[in-house]
PDB file of all heavy atoms in Angstrom:
ATOM      1  N   THR C   1      35.607 -26.333 -18.248  1.00  0.00           N
ATOM      2  CA  THR C   1      35.227 -27.528 -18.976  1.00  0.00           C
ATOM      3  C   THR C   1      35.568 -27.338 -20.446  1.00  0.00           C
ATOM      4  O   THR C   1      35.374 -26.239 -20.992  1.00  0.00           O
ATOM      5  CB  THR C   1      33.714 -27.821 -18.831  1.00  0.00           C
ATOM      6  OG1 THR C   1      33.392 -27.907 -17.441  1.00  0.00           O
ATOM      7  CG2 THR C   1      33.347 -29.126 -19.518  1.00  0.00           C
ATOM      8  N   THR C   2      36.108 -28.354 -21.079  1.00  0.00           N
ATOM      9  CA  THR C   2      36.428 -28.257 -22.503  1.00  0.00           C
ATOM     10  C   THR C   2      35.148 -28.082 -23.307  1.00  0.00           C
ATOM     11  O   THR C   2      34.043 -28.372 -22.843  1.00  0.00           O
ATOM     12  CB  THR C   2      37.164 -29.517 -22.979  1.00  0.00           C
ATOM     13  OG1 THR C   2      36.371 -30.674 -22.680  1.00  0.00           O
ATOM     14  CG2 THR C   2      38.515 -29.638 -22.288  1.00  0.00           C
ATOM     15  N   SER C   3      35.316 -27.596 -24.540  1.00  0.00           N
ATOM     16  CA  SER C   3      34.158 -27.269 -25.372  1.00  0.00           C
ATOM     17  C   SER C   3      33.231 -28.457 -25.568  1.00  0.00           C
ATOM     18  O   SER C   3      32.013 -28.298 -25.648  1.00  0.00           O
ATOM     19  CB  SER C   3      34.632 -26.730 -26.734  1.00  0.00           C
ATOM     20  OG  SER C   3      35.475 -27.689 -27.363  1.00  0.00           O
ATOM     21  N   GLY C   4      33.802 -29.650 -25.636  1.00  0.00           N
ATOM     22  CA  GLY C   4      32.963 -30.834 -25.803  1.00  0.00           C
ATOM     23  C   GLY C   4      32.390 -31.347 -24.506  1.00  0.00           C
ATOM     24  O   GLY C   4      31.524 -32.224 -24.508  1.00  0.00           O
ATOM     25  N   GLY C   5      32.876 -30.810 -23.392  1.00  0.00           N
ATOM     26  CA  GLY C   5      32.382 -31.222 -22.089  1.00  0.00           C
ATOM     27  C   GLY C   5      32.964 -32.517 -21.567  1.00  0.00           C
ATOM     28  O   GLY C   5      32.541 -33.010 -20.523  1.00  0.00           O
ATOM     29  N   GLU C   6      33.968 -33.070 -22.279  1.00  0.00           N
ATOM     30  CA  GLU C   6      34.515 -34.362 -21.854  1.00  0.00           C
ATOM     31  C   GLU C   6      35.472 -34.223 -20.667  1.00  0.00           C
ATOM     32  O   GLU C   6      35.554 -35.110 -19.821  1.00  0.00           O
ATOM     33  CB  GLU C   6      35.265 -35.040 -23.007  1.00  0.00           C
ATOM     34  CG  GLU C   6      34.400 -35.390 -24.207  1.00  0.00           C
ATOM     35  CD  GLU C   6      34.347 -34.258 -25.219  1.00  0.00           C
ATOM     36  OE1 GLU C   6      34.925 -33.178 -24.935  1.00  0.00           O
ATOM     37  OE2 GLU C   6      33.721 -34.437 -26.281  1.00  0.00           O
ATOM     38  N   VAL C   7      36.239 -33.137 -20.595  1.00  0.00           N
ATOM     39  CA  VAL C   7      37.275 -32.968 -19.584  1.00  0.00           C
ATOM     40  C   VAL C   7      37.059 -31.646 -18.865  1.00  0.00           C
ATOM     41  O   VAL C   7      36.694 -30.644 -19.483  1.00  0.00           O
ATOM     42  CB  VAL C   7      38.691 -32.994 -20.213  1.00  0.00           C
ATOM     43  CG1 VAL C   7      39.751 -32.898 -19.123  1.00  0.00           C
ATOM     44  CG2 VAL C   7      38.892 -34.255 -21.040  1.00  0.00           C
ATOM     45  N   SER C   8      37.296 -31.642 -17.561  1.00  0.00           N
ATOM     46  CA  SER C   8      37.123 -30.418 -16.787  1.00  0.00           C
ATOM     47  C   SER C   8      38.220 -30.294 -15.745  1.00  0.00           C
ATOM     48  O   SER C   8      38.884 -31.267 -15.394  1.00  0.00           O
ATOM     49  CB  SER C   8      35.752 -30.395 -16.103  1.00  0.00           C
ATOM     50  OG  SER C   8      35.670 -31.450 -15.165  1.00  0.00           O
ATOM     51  N   VAL C   9      38.421 -29.068 -15.268  1.00  0.00           N
ATOM     52  CA  VAL C   9      39.292 -28.792 -14.126  1.00  0.00           C
ATOM     53  C   VAL C   9      38.376 -28.530 -12.941  1.00  0.00           C
ATOM     54  O   VAL C   9      37.506 -27.656 -13.006  1.00  0.00           O
ATOM     55  CB  VAL C   9      40.196 -27.577 -14.384  1.00  0.00           C
ATOM     56  CG1 VAL C   9      41.033 -27.273 -13.152  1.00  0.00           C
ATOM     57  CG2 VAL C   9      41.080 -27.818 -15.587  1.00  0.00           C
ATOM     58  N   SER C  10      38.559 -29.275 -11.863  1.00  0.00           N
ATOM     59  CA  SER C  10      37.672 -29.129 -10.713  1.00  0.00           C
ATOM     60  C   SER C  10      38.448 -28.684  -9.484  1.00  0.00           C
ATOM     61  O   SER C  10      39.668 -28.856  -9.397  1.00  0.00           O
ATOM     62  CB  SER C  10      36.929 -30.435 -10.421  1.00  0.00           C
ATOM     63  OG  SER C  10      37.810 -31.387  -9.859  1.00  0.00           O
ATOM     64  N   SER C  11      37.729 -28.143  -8.517  1.00  0.00           N
ATOM     65  CA  SER C  11      38.345 -27.678  -7.274  1.00  0.00           C
ATOM     66  C   SER C  11      38.599 -28.819  -6.300  1.00  0.00           C
ATOM     67  O   SER C  11      39.130 -28.586  -5.215  1.00  0.00           O
ATOM     68  CB  SER C  11      37.446 -26.625  -6.615  1.00  0.00           C
ATOM     69  OG  SER C  11      36.140 -27.137  -6.405  1.00  0.00           O
ATOM     70  N   GLY C  12      38.247 -30.059  -6.699  1.00  0.00           N
ATOM     71  CA  GLY C  12      38.500 -31.208  -5.838  1.00  0.00           C
ATOM     72  C   GLY C  12      39.414 -32.248  -6.451  1.00  0.00           C
ATOM     73  O   GLY C  12      39.714 -33.251  -5.819  1.00  0.00           O
ATOM     74  N   GLY C  13      39.835 -32.023  -7.702  1.00  0.00           N
ATOM     75  CA  GLY C  13      40.693 -33.000  -8.374  1.00  0.00           C
ATOM     76  C   GLY C  13      42.161 -32.591  -8.288  1.00  0.00           C
ATOM     77  O   GLY C  13      42.478 -31.504  -7.825  1.00  0.00           O
ATOM     78  N   MET C  14      43.099 -33.363  -8.749  1.00  0.00           N
ATOM     79  CA  MET C  14      42.911 -34.736  -9.196  1.00  0.00           C
ATOM     80  C   MET C  14      44.112 -35.565  -8.769  1.00  0.00           C
ATOM     81  O   MET C  14      43.954 -36.672  -8.302  1.00  0.00           O
ATOM     82  CB  MET C  14      42.769 -34.781 -10.715  1.00  0.00           C
ATOM     83  CG  MET C  14      42.654 -36.167 -11.294  1.00  0.00           C
ATOM     84  SD  MET C  14      42.543 -36.115 -13.092  1.00  0.00           S
ATOM     85  CE  MET C  14      42.024 -37.802 -13.356  1.00  0.00           C
ATOM     86  N   ILE C  15      45.328 -35.020  -8.914  1.00  0.00           N
ATOM     87  CA  ILE C  15      46.539 -35.735  -8.516  1.00  0.00           C
ATOM     88  C   ILE C  15      46.974 -35.256  -7.134  1.00  0.00           C
ATOM     89  O   ILE C  15      47.189 -34.059  -6.914  1.00  0.00           O
ATOM     90  CB  ILE C  15      47.688 -35.522  -9.517  1.00  0.00           C
ATOM     91  CG1 ILE C  15      47.256 -35.941 -10.924  1.00  0.00           C
ATOM     92  CG2 ILE C  15      48.929 -36.310  -9.082  1.00  0.00           C
ATOM     93  CD1 ILE C  15      46.860 -37.391 -11.034  1.00  0.00           C
ATOM     94  N   TYR C  16      47.128 -36.199  -6.212  1.00  0.00           N
ATOM     95  CA  TYR C  16      47.482 -35.910  -4.823  1.00  0.00           C
ATOM     96  C   TYR C  16      48.825 -36.564  -4.519  1.00  0.00           C
ATOM     97  O   TYR C  16      49.013 -37.770  -4.745  1.00  0.00           O
ATOM     98  CB  TYR C  16      46.383 -36.467  -3.915  1.00  0.00           C
ATOM     99  CG  TYR C  16      46.689 -36.489  -2.429  1.00  0.00           C
ATOM    100  CD1 TYR C  16      46.184 -35.510  -1.572  1.00  0.00           C
ATOM    101  CD2 TYR C  16      47.467 -37.515  -1.876  1.00  0.00           C
ATOM    102  CE1 TYR C  16      46.449 -35.548  -0.213  1.00  0.00           C
ATOM    103  CE2 TYR C  16      47.732 -37.553  -0.519  1.00  0.00           C
ATOM    104  CZ  TYR C  16      47.230 -36.569   0.300  1.00  0.00           C
ATOM    105  OH  TYR C  16      47.500 -36.615   1.653  1.00  0.00           O
ATOM    106  N   LEU C  17      49.787 -35.763  -4.016  1.00  0.00           N
ATOM    107  CA  LEU C  17      51.105 -36.262  -3.643  1.00  0.00           C
ATOM    108  C   LEU C  17      51.454 -35.726  -2.262  1.00  0.00           C
ATOM    109  O   LEU C  17      51.225 -34.535  -1.989  1.00  0.00           O
ATOM    110  CB  LEU C  17      52.173 -35.816  -4.641  1.00  0.00           C
ATOM    111  CG  LEU C  17      51.973 -36.229  -6.104  1.00  0.00           C
ATOM    112  CD1 LEU C  17      52.960 -35.496  -7.006  1.00  0.00           C
ATOM    113  CD2 LEU C  17      52.111 -37.736  -6.276  1.00  0.00           C
ATOM    114  N   ALA C  18      52.021 -36.572  -1.398  1.00  0.00           N
ATOM    115  CA  ALA C  18      52.326 -36.130  -0.037  1.00  0.00           C
ATOM    116  C   ALA C  18      53.550 -36.859   0.491  1.00  0.00           C
ATOM    117  O   ALA C  18      53.836 -37.997   0.116  1.00  0.00           O
ATOM    118  CB  ALA C  18      51.136 -36.371   0.895  1.00  0.00           C
ATOM    119  N   ALA C  19      54.273 -36.180   1.387  1.00  0.00           N
ATOM    120  CA  ALA C  19      55.420 -36.770   2.077  1.00  0.00           C
ATOM    121  C   ALA C  19      55.440 -36.235   3.494  1.00  0.00           C
ATOM    122  O   ALA C  19      55.016 -35.099   3.751  1.00  0.00           O
ATOM    123  CB  ALA C  19      56.728 -36.437   1.359  1.00  0.00           C
ATOM    124  N   GLY C  20      55.919 -37.049   4.423  1.00  0.00           N
ATOM    125  CA  GLY C  20      55.945 -36.597   5.809  1.00  0.00           C
ATOM    126  C   GLY C  20      56.455 -37.667   6.740  1.00  0.00           C
ATOM    127  O   GLY C  20      57.291 -38.500   6.357  1.00  0.00           O
ATOM    128  N   GLY C  21      55.923 -37.668   7.950  1.00  0.00           N
ATOM    129  CA  GLY C  21      56.364 -38.621   8.962  1.00  0.00           C
ATOM    130  C   GLY C  21      55.199 -39.210   9.728  1.00  0.00           C
ATOM    131  O   GLY C  21      54.131 -38.593   9.836  1.00  0.00           O
ATOM    132  N   VAL C  22      55.416 -40.412  10.264  1.00  0.00           N
ATOM    133  CA  VAL C  22      54.426 -41.105  11.093  1.00  0.00           C
ATOM    134  C   VAL C  22      55.090 -41.426  12.429  1.00  0.00           C
ATOM    135  O   VAL C  22      56.105 -42.124  12.469  1.00  0.00           O
ATOM    136  CB  VAL C  22      53.932 -42.407  10.439  1.00  0.00           C
ATOM    137  CG1 VAL C  22      52.875 -43.072  11.319  1.00  0.00           C
ATOM    138  CG2 VAL C  22      53.381 -42.142   9.050  1.00  0.00           C
ATOM    139  N   TYR C  23      54.510 -40.901  13.499  1.00  0.00           N
ATOM    140  CA  TYR C  23      55.034 -41.175  14.837  1.00  0.00           C
ATOM    141  C   TYR C  23      54.156 -42.229  15.499  1.00  0.00           C
ATOM    142  O   TYR C  23      52.949 -42.046  15.636  1.00  0.00           O
ATOM    143  CB  TYR C  23      55.049 -39.905  15.675  1.00  0.00           C
ATOM    144  CG  TYR C  23      55.663 -40.104  17.053  1.00  0.00           C
ATOM    145  CD1 TYR C  23      57.028 -40.309  17.196  1.00  0.00           C
ATOM    146  CD2 TYR C  23      54.866 -40.114  18.195  1.00  0.00           C
ATOM    147  CE1 TYR C  23      57.591 -40.510  18.451  1.00  0.00           C
ATOM    148  CE2 TYR C  23      55.417 -40.316  19.457  1.00  0.00           C
ATOM    149  CZ  TYR C  23      56.783 -40.514  19.572  1.00  0.00           C
ATOM    150  OH  TYR C  23      57.344 -40.718  20.799  1.00  0.00           O
ATOM    151  N   HIS C  24      54.772 -43.346  15.893  1.00  0.00           N
ATOM    152  CA  HIS C  24      54.034 -44.451  16.516  1.00  0.00           C
ATOM    153  C   HIS C  24      53.994 -44.211  18.032  1.00  0.00           C
ATOM    154  O   HIS C  24      54.931 -44.554  18.755  1.00  0.00           O
ATOM    155  CB  HIS C  24      54.711 -45.778  16.202  1.00  0.00           C
ATOM    156  CG  HIS C  24      54.855 -46.046  14.735  1.00  0.00           C
ATOM    157  ND1 HIS C  24      53.777 -46.320  13.916  1.00  0.00           N
ATOM    158  CD2 HIS C  24      55.953 -46.049  13.926  1.00  0.00           C
ATOM    159  CE1 HIS C  24      54.203 -46.504  12.674  1.00  0.00           C
ATOM    160  NE2 HIS C  24      55.518 -46.343  12.659  1.00  0.00           N
ATOM    161  N   VAL C  25      52.894 -43.622  18.483  1.00  0.00           N
ATOM    162  CA  VAL C  25      52.745 -43.312  19.903  1.00  0.00           C
ATOM    163  C   VAL C  25      52.615 -44.596  20.713  1.00  0.00           C
ATOM    164  O   VAL C  25      53.202 -44.747  21.789  1.00  0.00           O
ATOM    165  CB  VAL C  25      51.524 -42.408  20.124  1.00  0.00           C
ATOM    166  CG1 VAL C  25      51.345 -42.083  21.606  1.00  0.00           C
ATOM    167  CG2 VAL C  25      51.654 -41.123  19.316  1.00  0.00           C
ATOM    168  N   SER C  26      51.850 -45.551  20.182  1.00  0.00           N
ATOM    169  CA  SER C  26      51.642 -46.844  20.829  1.00  0.00           C
ATOM    170  C   SER C  26      51.253 -47.830  19.732  1.00  0.00           C
ATOM    171  O   SER C  26      51.041 -47.431  18.576  1.00  0.00           O
ATOM    172  CB  SER C  26      50.535 -46.755  21.884  1.00  0.00           C
ATOM    173  OG  SER C  26      49.261 -46.620  21.263  1.00  0.00           O
ATOM    174  N   PRO C  27      51.153 -49.138  20.026  1.00  0.00           N
ATOM    175  CA  PRO C  27      50.759 -50.094  18.989  1.00  0.00           C
ATOM    176  C   PRO C  27      49.403 -49.791  18.353  1.00  0.00           C
ATOM    177  O   PRO C  27      49.146 -50.240  17.232  1.00  0.00           O
ATOM    178  CB  PRO C  27      50.719 -51.429  19.744  1.00  0.00           C
ATOM    179  CG  PRO C  27      51.692 -51.258  20.860  1.00  0.00           C
ATOM    180  CD  PRO C  27      51.556 -49.816  21.285  1.00  0.00           C
ATOM    181  N   ASN C  28      48.561 -49.045  19.041  1.00  0.00           N
ATOM    182  CA  ASN C  28      47.224 -48.748  18.512  1.00  0.00           C
ATOM    183  C   ASN C  28      46.997 -47.275  18.222  1.00  0.00           C
ATOM    184  O   ASN C  28      45.853 -46.864  18.004  1.00  0.00           O
ATOM    185  CB  ASN C  28      46.153 -49.238  19.492  1.00  0.00           C
ATOM    186  CG  ASN C  28      46.121 -50.730  19.642  1.00  0.00           C
ATOM    187  OD1 ASN C  28      46.478 -51.281  20.675  1.00  0.00           O
ATOM    188  ND2 ASN C  28      45.723 -51.428  18.583  1.00  0.00           N
ATOM    189  N   PHE C  29      48.073 -46.477  18.185  1.00  0.00           N
ATOM    190  CA  PHE C  29      47.872 -45.046  17.956  1.00  0.00           C
ATOM    191  C   PHE C  29      49.064 -44.457  17.206  1.00  0.00           C
ATOM    192  O   PHE C  29      50.195 -44.535  17.667  1.00  0.00           O
ATOM    193  CB  PHE C  29      47.675 -44.314  19.285  1.00  0.00           C
ATOM    194  CG  PHE C  29      47.303 -42.865  19.141  1.00  0.00           C
ATOM    195  CD1 PHE C  29      46.140 -42.495  18.513  1.00  0.00           C
ATOM    196  CD2 PHE C  29      48.150 -41.875  19.634  1.00  0.00           C
ATOM    197  CE1 PHE C  29      45.800 -41.150  18.377  1.00  0.00           C
ATOM    198  CE2 PHE C  29      47.818 -40.533  19.515  1.00  0.00           C
ATOM    199  CZ  PHE C  29      46.636 -40.173  18.877  1.00  0.00           C
ATOM    200  N   ASP C  30      48.780 -43.888  16.013  1.00  0.00           N
ATOM    201  CA  ASP C  30      49.771 -43.191  15.211  1.00  0.00           C
ATOM    202  C   ASP C  30      49.366 -41.734  15.038  1.00  0.00           C
ATOM    203  O   ASP C  30      48.168 -41.412  15.029  1.00  0.00           O
ATOM    204  CB  ASP C  30      49.896 -43.806  13.810  1.00  0.00           C
ATOM    205  CG  ASP C  30      50.519 -45.180  13.807  1.00  0.00           C
ATOM    206  OD1 ASP C  30      51.104 -45.564  14.843  1.00  0.00           O
ATOM    207  OD2 ASP C  30      50.420 -45.865  12.771  1.00  0.00           O
ATOM    208  N   VAL C  31      50.354 -40.874  14.864  1.00  0.00           N
ATOM    209  CA  VAL C  31      50.118 -39.490  14.472  1.00  0.00           C
ATOM    210  C   VAL C  31      50.921 -39.229  13.208  1.00  0.00           C
ATOM    211  O   VAL C  31      52.139 -39.433  13.186  1.00  0.00           O
ATOM    212  CB  VAL C  31      50.524 -38.493  15.573  1.00  0.00           C
ATOM    213  CG1 VAL C  31      50.332 -37.062  15.082  1.00  0.00           C
ATOM    214  CG2 VAL C  31      49.691 -38.719  16.831  1.00  0.00           C
ATOM    215  N   GLN C  32      50.233 -38.792  12.154  1.00  0.00           N
ATOM    216  CA  GLN C  32      50.875 -38.585  10.854  1.00  0.00           C
ATOM    217  C   GLN C  32      50.808 -37.112  10.471  1.00  0.00           C
ATOM    218  O   GLN C  32      49.745 -36.494  10.508  1.00  0.00           O
ATOM    219  CB  GLN C  32      50.185 -39.434   9.791  1.00  0.00           C
ATOM    220  CG  GLN C  32      50.714 -39.248   8.377  1.00  0.00           C
ATOM    221  CD  GLN C  32      50.107 -40.242   7.422  1.00  0.00           C
ATOM    222  OE1 GLN C  32      50.271 -41.463   7.572  1.00  0.00           O
ATOM    223  NE2 GLN C  32      49.396 -39.752   6.425  1.00  0.00           N
ATOM    224  N   ALA C  33      51.939 -36.544  10.068  1.00  0.00           N
ATOM    225  CA  ALA C  33      52.018 -35.174   9.577  1.00  0.00           C
ATOM    226  C   ALA C  33      52.601 -35.211   8.174  1.00  0.00           C
ATOM    227  O   ALA C  33      53.574 -35.936   7.917  1.00  0.00           O
ATOM    228  CB  ALA C  33      52.878 -34.317  10.492  1.00  0.00           C
ATOM    229  N   ALA C  34      52.007 -34.446   7.254  1.00  0.00           N
ATOM    230  CA  ALA C  34      52.449 -34.510   5.863  1.00  0.00           C
ATOM    231  C   ALA C  34      52.350 -33.145   5.198  1.00  0.00           C
ATOM    232  O   ALA C  34      51.520 -32.300   5.577  1.00  0.00           O
ATOM    233  CB  ALA C  34      51.625 -35.528   5.081  1.00  0.00           C
ATOM    234  N   PHE C  35      53.199 -32.951   4.206  1.00  0.00           N
ATOM    235  CA  PHE C  35      53.162 -31.787   3.328  1.00  0.00           C
ATOM    236  C   PHE C  35      52.987 -32.302   1.915  1.00  0.00           C
ATOM    237  O   PHE C  35      53.597 -33.316   1.539  1.00  0.00           O
ATOM    238  CB  PHE C  35      54.461 -30.975   3.437  1.00  0.00           C
ATOM    239  CG  PHE C  35      54.546 -29.844   2.452  1.00  0.00           C
ATOM    240  CD1 PHE C  35      53.914 -28.636   2.712  1.00  0.00           C
ATOM    241  CD2 PHE C  35      55.254 -29.991   1.267  1.00  0.00           C
ATOM    242  CE1 PHE C  35      53.994 -27.589   1.797  1.00  0.00           C
ATOM    243  CE2 PHE C  35      55.340 -28.954   0.353  1.00  0.00           C
ATOM    244  CZ  PHE C  35      54.703 -27.744   0.622  1.00  0.00           C
ATOM    245  N   GLY C  36      52.142 -31.622   1.110  1.00  0.00           N
ATOM    246  CA  GLY C  36      51.890 -32.172  -0.208  1.00  0.00           C
ATOM    247  C   GLY C  36      51.499 -31.159  -1.263  1.00  0.00           C
ATOM    248  O   GLY C  36      51.438 -29.944  -1.015  1.00  0.00           O
ATOM    249  N   TYR C  37      51.231 -31.706  -2.441  1.00  0.00           N
ATOM    250  CA  TYR C  37      50.901 -30.925  -3.633  1.00  0.00           C
ATOM    251  C   TYR C  37      49.688 -31.568  -4.287  1.00  0.00           C
ATOM    252  O   TYR C  37      49.628 -32.808  -4.430  1.00  0.00           O
ATOM    253  CB  TYR C  37      52.097 -30.938  -4.582  1.00  0.00           C
ATOM    254  CG  TYR C  37      51.920 -30.146  -5.855  1.00  0.00           C
ATOM    255  CD1 TYR C  37      51.820 -28.757  -5.826  1.00  0.00           C
ATOM    256  CD2 TYR C  37      51.888 -30.790  -7.101  1.00  0.00           C
ATOM    257  CE1 TYR C  37      51.687 -28.032  -6.999  1.00  0.00           C
ATOM    258  CE2 TYR C  37      51.751 -30.076  -8.272  1.00  0.00           C
ATOM    259  CZ  TYR C  37      51.650 -28.690  -8.221  1.00  0.00           C
ATOM    260  OH  TYR C  37      51.513 -27.965  -9.375  1.00  0.00           O
ATOM    261  N   HIS C  38      48.730 -30.737  -4.689  1.00  0.00           N
ATOM    262  CA  HIS C  38      47.459 -31.213  -5.235  1.00  0.00           C
ATOM    263  C   HIS C  38      47.184 -30.412  -6.503  1.00  0.00           C
ATOM    264  O   HIS C  38      47.225 -29.175  -6.477  1.00  0.00           O
ATOM    265  CB  HIS C  38      46.351 -30.983  -4.204  1.00  0.00           C
ATOM    266  CG  HIS C  38      45.167 -31.882  -4.380  1.00  0.00           C
ATOM    267  ND1 HIS C  38      44.149 -31.959  -3.457  1.00  0.00           N
ATOM    268  CD2 HIS C  38      44.809 -32.744  -5.377  1.00  0.00           C
ATOM    269  CE1 HIS C  38      43.237 -32.816  -3.854  1.00  0.00           C
ATOM    270  NE2 HIS C  38      43.616 -33.305  -5.019  1.00  0.00           N
ATOM    271  N   ILE C  39      46.892 -31.085  -7.615  1.00  0.00           N
ATOM    272  CA  ILE C  39      46.702 -30.380  -8.881  1.00  0.00           C
ATOM    273  C   ILE C  39      45.658 -31.075  -9.744  1.00  0.00           C
ATOM    274  O   ILE C  39      45.552 -32.300  -9.757  1.00  0.00           O
ATOM    275  CB  ILE C  39      48.039 -30.278  -9.662  1.00  0.00           C
ATOM    276  CG1 ILE C  39      47.843 -29.522 -10.980  1.00  0.00           C
ATOM    277  CG2 ILE C  39      48.648 -31.656  -9.905  1.00  0.00           C
ATOM    278  CD1 ILE C  39      49.128 -29.227 -11.719  1.00  0.00           C
ATOM    279  N   ASP C  40      44.888 -30.258 -10.455  1.00  0.00           N
ATOM    280  CA  ASP C  40      44.027 -30.736 -11.527  1.00  0.00           C
ATOM    281  C   ASP C  40      44.282 -29.833 -12.721  1.00  0.00           C
ATOM    282  O   ASP C  40      44.452 -28.615 -12.560  1.00  0.00           O
ATOM    283  CB  ASP C  40      42.550 -30.687 -11.125  1.00  0.00           C
ATOM    284  CG  ASP C  40      41.670 -31.468 -12.097  1.00  0.00           C
ATOM    285  OD1 ASP C  40      42.230 -32.162 -12.979  1.00  0.00           O
ATOM    286  OD2 ASP C  40      40.432 -31.403 -11.971  1.00  0.00           O
ATOM    287  N   GLN C  41      44.309 -30.405 -13.923  1.00  0.00           N
ATOM    288  CA  GLN C  41      44.592 -29.599 -15.097  1.00  0.00           C
ATOM    289  C   GLN C  41      44.012 -30.239 -16.343  1.00  0.00           C
ATOM    290  O   GLN C  41      43.718 -31.435 -16.366  1.00  0.00           O
ATOM    291  CB  GLN C  41      46.098 -29.396 -15.284  1.00  0.00           C
ATOM    292  CG  GLN C  41      46.888 -30.659 -15.565  1.00  0.00           C
ATOM    293  CD  GLN C  41      48.369 -30.411 -15.720  1.00  0.00           C
ATOM    294  OE1 GLN C  41      48.913 -29.465 -15.152  1.00  0.00           O
ATOM    295  NE2 GLN C  41      49.047 -31.248 -16.489  1.00  0.00           N
ATOM    296  N   VAL C  42      43.852 -29.406 -17.372  1.00  0.00           N
ATOM    297  CA  VAL C  42      43.410 -29.889 -18.673  1.00  0.00           C
ATOM    298  C   VAL C  42      44.246 -29.177 -19.725  1.00  0.00           C
ATOM    299  O   VAL C  42      44.448 -27.962 -19.670  1.00  0.00           O
ATOM    300  CB  VAL C  42      41.899 -29.646 -18.885  1.00  0.00           C
ATOM    301  CG1 VAL C  42      41.537 -28.176 -18.759  1.00  0.00           C
ATOM    302  CG2 VAL C  42      41.452 -30.211 -20.232  1.00  0.00           C
TER     303      VAL C  42
END
């Protein structure tokens, strides 16, 4: 957390990016697989 407490780096934040594929098994069922990058910083 910054000295003033305004900004922090957390283990659940913050920018989420993903790419992959979606397989349409049927009109009511999809299976999605993805690879991605997740980062938080200050």
